[in-house]
Amino acid sequence: MHISYNKLWKMLIDKGMNKHDLAEKSDVSSASIAKLSKGANITTDVLLKICTAMGCHIEDILETIDD
């Protein structure tokens, strides 16, 4: 099982935002955004910053996928 952030990328597209906009709005480093892009491990603090900035819940930006 792994985590997919495809919901987050779709949300950005729907809101007309890019990854740089997300980093600025959520005050998250570009390195953390790069980790998200690669599906790497990220802290819950970063995820909560993104949720706060985007006005959503954690289940709106990620999902678990069976391998």
Side-chain angles (χ1 to χ4, degrees), residues 7-30:
K7 287 182 167 185
L8 173 60
W9 309 134
K10 183 178 181 332
M11 181 185 292
L12 289 181
I13 291 168
D14 292 345
K15 293 183 182 252
M17 295 174 66
N18 60 36
K19 292 175 185 175
H20 179 75
D21 297 332
L22 175 63
E24 284 187 352
K25 184 173 183 172
S26 61
D27 194 30
V28 171
S29 71
S30 57

PDB file of all heavy atoms in Angstrom, residues 7-30:
ATOM      1  N   LYS A   7      -5.127  13.568  -5.707  1.00  0.00           N
ATOM      2  CA  LYS A   7      -6.235  14.459  -5.361  1.00  0.00           C
ATOM      3  C   LYS A   7      -5.744  15.894  -5.178  1.00  0.00           C
ATOM      4  O   LYS A   7      -6.426  16.854  -5.570  1.00  0.00           O
ATOM      5  CB  LYS A   7      -6.924  13.986  -4.082  1.00  0.00           C
ATOM      6  CG  LYS A   7      -7.768  12.753  -4.246  1.00  0.00           C
ATOM      7  CD  LYS A   7      -8.433  12.433  -2.905  1.00  0.00           C
ATOM      8  CE  LYS A   7      -9.522  11.418  -3.027  1.00  0.00           C
ATOM      9  NZ  LYS A   7     -10.217  11.217  -1.727  1.00  0.00           N
ATOM     10  N   LEU A   8      -4.567  16.044  -4.590  1.00  0.00           N
ATOM     11  CA  LEU A   8      -3.990  17.379  -4.405  1.00  0.00           C
ATOM     12  C   LEU A   8      -3.680  18.012  -5.751  1.00  0.00           C
ATOM     13  O   LEU A   8      -4.000  19.185  -5.985  1.00  0.00           O
ATOM     14  CB  LEU A   8      -2.720  17.298  -3.551  1.00  0.00           C
ATOM     15  CG  LEU A   8      -1.918  18.589  -3.412  1.00  0.00           C
ATOM     16  CD1 LEU A   8      -2.751  19.701  -2.772  1.00  0.00           C
ATOM     17  CD2 LEU A   8      -0.645  18.341  -2.618  1.00  0.00           C
ATOM     18  N   TRP A   9      -3.059  17.264  -6.657  1.00  0.00           N
ATOM     19  CA  TRP A   9      -2.696  17.821  -7.966  1.00  0.00           C
ATOM     20  C   TRP A   9      -3.943  18.197  -8.753  1.00  0.00           C
ATOM     21  O   TRP A   9      -3.961  19.223  -9.434  1.00  0.00           O
ATOM     22  CB  TRP A   9      -1.816  16.854  -8.752  1.00  0.00           C
ATOM     23  CG  TRP A   9      -0.642  16.353  -7.963  1.00  0.00           C
ATOM     24  CD1 TRP A   9      -0.214  15.062  -7.861  1.00  0.00           C
ATOM     25  CD2 TRP A   9       0.262  17.108  -7.140  1.00  0.00           C
ATOM     26  NE1 TRP A   9       0.873  14.981  -7.029  1.00  0.00           N
ATOM     27  CE2 TRP A   9       1.185  16.222  -6.566  1.00  0.00           C
ATOM     28  CE3 TRP A   9       0.361  18.457  -6.819  1.00  0.00           C
ATOM     29  CZ2 TRP A   9       2.203  16.627  -5.709  1.00  0.00           C
ATOM     30  CZ3 TRP A   9       1.380  18.870  -5.950  1.00  0.00           C
ATOM     31  CH2 TRP A   9       2.279  17.967  -5.413  1.00  0.00           C
ATOM     32  N   LYS A  10      -5.014  17.396  -8.641  1.00  0.00           N
ATOM     33  CA  LYS A  10      -6.268  17.724  -9.320  1.00  0.00           C
ATOM     34  C   LYS A  10      -6.860  19.002  -8.730  1.00  0.00           C
ATOM     35  O   LYS A  10      -7.352  19.862  -9.460  1.00  0.00           O
ATOM     36  CB  LYS A  10      -7.258  16.573  -9.221  1.00  0.00           C
ATOM     37  CG  LYS A  10      -8.548  16.847  -9.962  1.00  0.00           C
ATOM     38  CD  LYS A  10      -9.502  15.702  -9.910  1.00  0.00           C
ATOM     39  CE  LYS A  10     -10.781  15.933 -10.653  1.00  0.00           C
ATOM     40  NZ  LYS A  10     -11.281  17.263 -10.799  1.00  0.00           N
ATOM     41  N   MET A  11      -6.789  19.128  -7.401  1.00  0.00           N
ATOM     42  CA  MET A  11      -7.304  20.329  -6.745  1.00  0.00           C
ATOM     43  C   MET A  11      -6.570  21.571  -7.244  1.00  0.00           C
ATOM     44  O   MET A  11      -7.190  22.610  -7.501  1.00  0.00           O
ATOM     45  CB  MET A  11      -7.158  20.209  -5.226  1.00  0.00           C
ATOM     46  CG  MET A  11      -7.688  21.399  -4.456  1.00  0.00           C
ATOM     47  SD  MET A  11      -7.381  21.305  -2.676  1.00  0.00           S
ATOM     48  CE  MET A  11      -8.438  19.941  -2.221  1.00  0.00           C
ATOM     49  N   LEU A  12      -5.250  21.464  -7.377  1.00  0.00           N
ATOM     50  CA  LEU A  12      -4.477  22.609  -7.880  1.00  0.00           C
ATOM     51  C   LEU A  12      -4.921  22.993  -9.279  1.00  0.00           C
ATOM     52  O   LEU A  12      -5.086  24.178  -9.581  1.00  0.00           O
ATOM     53  CB  LEU A  12      -2.982  22.285  -7.869  1.00  0.00           C
ATOM     54  CG  LEU A  12      -2.302  22.190  -6.514  1.00  0.00           C
ATOM     55  CD1 LEU A  12      -0.820  21.878  -6.697  1.00  0.00           C
ATOM     56  CD2 LEU A  12      -2.483  23.443  -5.698  1.00  0.00           C
ATOM     57  N   ILE A  13      -5.108  21.996 -10.136  1.00  0.00           N
ATOM     58  CA  ILE A  13      -5.561  22.267 -11.503  1.00  0.00           C
ATOM     59  C   ILE A  13      -6.926  22.950 -11.483  1.00  0.00           C
ATOM     60  O   ILE A  13      -7.144  23.950 -12.176  1.00  0.00           O
ATOM     61  CB  ILE A  13      -5.610  20.961 -12.328  1.00  0.00           C
ATOM     62  CG1 ILE A  13      -4.193  20.458 -12.576  1.00  0.00           C
ATOM     63  CG2 ILE A  13      -6.358  21.178 -13.645  1.00  0.00           C
ATOM     64  CD1 ILE A  13      -4.119  19.039 -13.118  1.00  0.00           C
ATOM     65  N   ASP A  14      -7.840  22.418 -10.668  1.00  0.00           N
ATOM     66  CA  ASP A  14      -9.189  22.990 -10.587  1.00  0.00           C
ATOM     67  C   ASP A  14      -9.174  24.435 -10.099  1.00  0.00           C
ATOM     68  O   ASP A  14     -10.024  25.233 -10.490  1.00  0.00           O
ATOM     69  CB  ASP A  14     -10.074  22.150  -9.660  1.00  0.00           C
ATOM     70  CG  ASP A  14     -10.390  20.765 -10.222  1.00  0.00           C
ATOM     71  OD1 ASP A  14     -10.173  20.544 -11.437  1.00  0.00           O
ATOM     72  OD2 ASP A  14     -10.852  19.904  -9.438  1.00  0.00           O
ATOM     73  N   LYS A  15      -8.209  24.776  -9.255  1.00  0.00           N
ATOM     74  CA  LYS A  15      -8.116  26.138  -8.713  1.00  0.00           C
ATOM     75  C   LYS A  15      -7.187  27.033  -9.534  1.00  0.00           C
ATOM     76  O   LYS A  15      -6.948  28.181  -9.177  1.00  0.00           O
ATOM     77  CB  LYS A  15      -7.640  26.094  -7.257  1.00  0.00           C
ATOM     78  CG  LYS A  15      -8.665  25.461  -6.322  1.00  0.00           C
ATOM     79  CD  LYS A  15      -8.189  25.495  -4.895  1.00  0.00           C
ATOM     80  CE  LYS A  15      -9.199  24.823  -3.995  1.00  0.00           C
ATOM     81  NZ  LYS A  15      -9.926  25.736  -3.154  1.00  0.00           N
ATOM     82  N   GLY A  16      -6.632  26.489 -10.634  1.00  0.00           N
ATOM     83  CA  GLY A  16      -5.744  27.274 -11.492  1.00  0.00           C
ATOM     84  C   GLY A  16      -4.420  27.605 -10.828  1.00  0.00           C
ATOM     85  O   GLY A  16      -3.827  28.650 -11.107  1.00  0.00           O
ATOM     86  N   MET A  17      -3.962  26.714  -9.965  1.00  0.00           N
ATOM     87  CA  MET A  17      -2.707  26.939  -9.237  1.00  0.00           C
ATOM     88  C   MET A  17      -1.640  25.967  -9.726  1.00  0.00           C
ATOM     89  O   MET A  17      -1.966  24.928 -10.306  1.00  0.00           O
ATOM     90  CB  MET A  17      -2.917  26.720  -7.740  1.00  0.00           C
ATOM     91  CG  MET A  17      -3.849  27.703  -7.077  1.00  0.00           C
ATOM     92  SD  MET A  17      -4.186  27.275  -5.345  1.00  0.00           S
ATOM     93  CE  MET A  17      -2.567  27.510  -4.607  1.00  0.00           C
ATOM     94  N   ASN A  18      -0.386  26.313  -9.462  1.00  0.00           N
ATOM     95  CA  ASN A  18       0.705  25.385  -9.732  1.00  0.00           C
ATOM     96  C   ASN A  18       1.422  25.067  -8.417  1.00  0.00           C
ATOM     97  O   ASN A  18       1.052  25.573  -7.355  1.00  0.00           O
ATOM     98  CB  ASN A  18       1.664  25.937 -10.794  1.00  0.00           C
ATOM     99  CG  ASN A  18       2.303  27.244 -10.386  1.00  0.00           C
ATOM    100  OD1 ASN A  18       2.612  27.473  -9.221  1.00  0.00           O
ATOM    101  ND2 ASN A  18       2.513  28.124 -11.357  1.00  0.00           N
ATOM    102  N   LYS A  19       2.441  24.256  -8.479  1.00  0.00           N
ATOM    103  CA  LYS A  19       3.146  23.826  -7.269  1.00  0.00           C
ATOM    104  C   LYS A  19       3.840  24.995  -6.570  1.00  0.00           C
ATOM    105  O   LYS A  19       3.893  25.041  -5.346  1.00  0.00           O
ATOM    106  CB  LYS A  19       4.151  22.723  -7.606  1.00  0.00           C
ATOM    107  CG  LYS A  19       3.468  21.438  -8.024  1.00  0.00           C
ATOM    108  CD  LYS A  19       4.467  20.400  -8.479  1.00  0.00           C
ATOM    109  CE  LYS A  19       3.746  19.171  -9.002  1.00  0.00           C
ATOM    110  NZ  LYS A  19       4.655  18.186  -9.558  1.00  0.00           N
ATOM    111  N   HIS A  20       4.332  25.935  -7.337  1.00  0.00           N
ATOM    112  CA  HIS A  20       4.964  27.118  -6.740  1.00  0.00           C
ATOM    113  C   HIS A  20       3.937  27.930  -5.959  1.00  0.00           C
ATOM    114  O   HIS A  20       4.213  28.394  -4.846  1.00  0.00           O
ATOM    115  CB  HIS A  20       5.614  27.975  -7.835  1.00  0.00           C
ATOM    116  CG  HIS A  20       6.257  29.210  -7.319  1.00  0.00           C
ATOM    117  ND1 HIS A  20       7.461  29.204  -6.645  1.00  0.00           N
ATOM    118  CD2 HIS A  20       5.853  30.502  -7.347  1.00  0.00           C
ATOM    119  CE1 HIS A  20       7.770  30.437  -6.304  1.00  0.00           C
ATOM    120  NE2 HIS A  20       6.810  31.250  -6.715  1.00  0.00           N
ATOM    121  N   ASP A  21       2.740  28.097  -6.532  1.00  0.00           N
ATOM    122  CA  ASP A  21       1.666  28.800  -5.834  1.00  0.00           C
ATOM    123  C   ASP A  21       1.320  28.095  -4.521  1.00  0.00           C
ATOM    124  O   ASP A  21       1.110  28.736  -3.498  1.00  0.00           O
ATOM    125  CB  ASP A  21       0.401  28.871  -6.699  1.00  0.00           C
ATOM    126  CG  ASP A  21       0.593  29.653  -7.979  1.00  0.00           C
ATOM    127  OD1 ASP A  21       1.453  30.560  -8.012  1.00  0.00           O
ATOM    128  OD2 ASP A  21      -0.117  29.341  -8.959  1.00  0.00           O
ATOM    129  N   LEU A  22       1.261  26.768  -4.576  1.00  0.00           N
ATOM    130  CA  LEU A  22       0.954  25.982  -3.385  1.00  0.00           C
ATOM    131  C   LEU A  22       2.010  26.202  -2.298  1.00  0.00           C
ATOM    132  O   LEU A  22       1.674  26.415  -1.134  1.00  0.00           O
ATOM    133  CB  LEU A  22       0.864  24.499  -3.730  1.00  0.00           C
ATOM    134  CG  LEU A  22       0.653  23.545  -2.555  1.00  0.00           C
ATOM    135  CD1 LEU A  22      -0.681  23.816  -1.872  1.00  0.00           C
ATOM    136  CD2 LEU A  22       0.737  22.100  -3.024  1.00  0.00           C
ATOM    137  N   ALA A  23       3.273  26.174  -2.691  1.00  0.00           N
ATOM    138  CA  ALA A  23       4.364  26.368  -1.734  1.00  0.00           C
ATOM    139  C   ALA A  23       4.256  27.739  -1.062  1.00  0.00           C
ATOM    140  O   ALA A  23       4.396  27.852   0.163  1.00  0.00           O
ATOM    141  CB  ALA A  23       5.715  26.214  -2.426  1.00  0.00           C
ATOM    142  N   GLU A  24       3.976  28.763  -1.837  1.00  0.00           N
ATOM    143  CA  GLU A  24       3.860  30.113  -1.286  1.00  0.00           C
ATOM    144  C   GLU A  24       2.644  30.253  -0.380  1.00  0.00           C
ATOM    145  O   GLU A  24       2.736  30.787   0.718  1.00  0.00           O
ATOM    146  CB  GLU A  24       3.786  31.144  -2.410  1.00  0.00           C
ATOM    147  CG  GLU A  24       5.116  31.408  -3.064  1.00  0.00           C
ATOM    148  CD  GLU A  24       5.053  32.552  -4.056  1.00  0.00           C
ATOM    149  OE1 GLU A  24       3.945  33.052  -4.353  1.00  0.00           O
ATOM    150  OE2 GLU A  24       6.127  32.945  -4.544  1.00  0.00           O
ATOM    151  N   LYS A  25       1.500  29.764  -0.841  1.00  0.00           N
ATOM    152  CA  LYS A  25       0.255  29.917  -0.092  1.00  0.00           C
ATOM    153  C   LYS A  25       0.286  29.151   1.226  1.00  0.00           C
ATOM    154  O   LYS A  25      -0.241  29.615   2.236  1.00  0.00           O
ATOM    155  CB  LYS A  25      -0.923  29.449  -0.946  1.00  0.00           C
ATOM    156  CG  LYS A  25      -2.277  29.659  -0.300  1.00  0.00           C
ATOM    157  CD  LYS A  25      -3.409  29.346  -1.239  1.00  0.00           C
ATOM    158  CE  LYS A  25      -4.739  29.645  -0.556  1.00  0.00           C
ATOM    159  NZ  LYS A  25      -5.855  29.528  -1.481  1.00  0.00           N
ATOM    160  N   SER A  26       0.921  27.981   1.233  1.00  0.00           N
ATOM    161  CA  SER A  26       0.917  27.131   2.419  1.00  0.00           C
ATOM    162  C   SER A  26       2.167  27.303   3.278  1.00  0.00           C
ATOM    163  O   SER A  26       2.270  26.684   4.333  1.00  0.00           O
ATOM    164  CB  SER A  26       0.763  25.673   2.015  1.00  0.00           C
ATOM    165  OG  SER A  26       1.838  25.259   1.194  1.00  0.00           O
ATOM    166  N   ASP A  27       3.115  28.115   2.818  1.00  0.00           N
ATOM    167  CA  ASP A  27       4.379  28.327   3.522  1.00  0.00           C
ATOM    168  C   ASP A  27       5.114  27.002   3.741  1.00  0.00           C
ATOM    169  O   ASP A  27       5.612  26.695   4.820  1.00  0.00           O
ATOM    170  CB  ASP A  27       4.156  29.043   4.858  1.00  0.00           C
ATOM    171  CG  ASP A  27       5.444  29.583   5.450  1.00  0.00           C
ATOM    172  OD1 ASP A  27       6.358  29.932   4.684  1.00  0.00           O
ATOM    173  OD2 ASP A  27       5.543  29.639   6.697  1.00  0.00           O
ATOM    174  N   VAL A  28       5.159  26.214   2.668  1.00  0.00           N
ATOM    175  CA  VAL A  28       5.847  24.918   2.652  1.00  0.00           C
ATOM    176  C   VAL A  28       7.027  25.052   1.694  1.00  0.00           C
ATOM    177  O   VAL A  28       6.913  25.697   0.646  1.00  0.00           O
ATOM    178  CB  VAL A  28       4.882  23.801   2.197  1.00  0.00           C
ATOM    179  CG1 VAL A  28       5.591  22.507   1.951  1.00  0.00           C
ATOM    180  CG2 VAL A  28       3.780  23.606   3.228  1.00  0.00           C
ATOM    181  N   SER A  29       8.137  24.446   2.033  1.00  0.00           N
ATOM    182  CA  SER A  29       9.333  24.566   1.190  1.00  0.00           C
ATOM    183  C   SER A  29       9.142  23.861  -0.158  1.00  0.00           C
ATOM    184  O   SER A  29       8.353  22.922  -0.280  1.00  0.00           O
ATOM    185  CB  SER A  29      10.542  23.967   1.899  1.00  0.00           C
ATOM    186  OG  SER A  29      10.443  22.556   1.944  1.00  0.00           O
ATOM    187  N   SER A  30       9.884  24.322  -1.141  1.00  0.00           N
ATOM    188  CA  SER A  30       9.832  23.683  -2.460  1.00  0.00           C
ATOM    189  C   SER A  30      10.357  22.253  -2.378  1.00  0.00           C
ATOM    190  O   SER A  30       9.930  21.387  -3.145  1.00  0.00           O
ATOM    191  CB  SER A  30      10.613  24.496  -3.488  1.00  0.00           C
ATOM    192  OG  SER A  30      11.952  24.659  -3.076  1.00  0.00           O
TER     193      SER A  30
END
